[in-house]
Amino acid sequence: MRFLRRQGVFCRTCALASFRDMQADTMVMGWWGPLSVLITPFVLLANLSALSGIRRIPEPVTPGWRPPLNPGKPVFRRPAGILALVPLGLLGLVVLAVPLLLLVGMLTGPDGGDGHPTLTAGSCARNDAPWPEQSLRPVGCGSSQAQYRVVDPTDGPCATRDHIAYPEYSKDGVSLCLHPLKR
């Protein structure tokens, strides 16, 4: 990584030519370092302040002792500027994707409270932890892994042999009854 600066007395045309060459070089070669990936976008933006200073320089009125430099094509009409659109596009994608993914994550929320699967009345479940700990997961009622039928306690109180699931396992935070299946 290196920072270059051209100093001197420039006419507007020569200053614009130097700016365009250096900006195009930065757009192509400025990305090739671990810190440069983060610093280059800020350098490109900071260089725009130099461009605004260049535009305030008056046009040359009389020819100097040598002809002015050819400013060439604008930066994004050069091959270097077109090539720079790849890292700039990727950076823009990251800048847009991170807040978008955070927003989607906040809107959708976790899948059942604390990352627990959601159980519904009438479905079947299995506990992969010894009681009284609960690591419930839904399974098909016809499966040999099914241990409990999930019962909604609003249909009546839980039976005496039923287990009570933690509220995290229901979508509305109500503790569901787990009726043991006879196998």
Side-chain angles (χ1 to χ4, degrees), residues 39 57 130 155:
I39 294 172
I57 299 172
D155 297 340

Side-chain angles (χ1 to χ4, degrees), residues 27 73-82 84-85 88:
M27 291 177 111
K73 295 179 181 178
V75 176
F76 282 108
R77 290 194 184 149
R78 298 173 181 218
I82 294 169
L85 291 176
L88 285 173

Side-chain angles (χ1 to χ4, degrees), residues 7 21-22 32 44 48 51 67 84 89 95 103 109 121-122 136 140 148 158:
Q7 295 181 348
D21 287 340
M22 292 184 75
W32 303 109
L44 292 172
L48 293 179
L51 180 61
V95 167
L103 181 65
L136 300 172
Y148 307 98
C158 294

Side-chain angles (χ1 to χ4, degrees), residues 111-153:
D111 61 347
D114 266 343
H116 297 291
T118 302
L119 301 176
T120 56
S123 66
C124 293
R126 172 177 186 77
N127 186 16
D128 291 329
W131 288 101
E133 296 175 29
Q134 294 183 15
S135 178
L136 300 172
R137 64 182 170 97
V139 293
C141 289
S143 169
S144 62
Q145 294 183 359
Q147 295 175 323
Y148 307 98
R149 179 166 304 274
V150 180
V151 179
D152 190 351

Side-chain angles (χ1 to χ4, degrees), residues 2-4 12 67 96 106 117 143 176 182:
R2 62 185 181 156
F3 294 93
L4 300 176
R12 181 179 183 171
L96 291 175
M106 288 187 327
S143 169
L176 298 169
K182 296 180 181 174

Side-chain angles (χ1 to χ4, degrees), residues 29-50:
M29 296 183 288
W31 306 96
W32 303 109
L35 288 176
S36 298
V37 171
L38 302 172
I39 294 172
T40 298
F42 296 106
V43 170
L44 292 172
L45 289 173
N47 288 348
L48 293 179
S49 69

Side-chain angles (χ1 to χ4, degrees), residues 91-110:
L91 182 69
L93 186 65
V94 167
V95 167
L96 291 175
V98 168
L100 183 66
L101 290 174
L102 287 172
L103 181 65
V104 168
M106 288 187 327
L107 291 176
T108 58

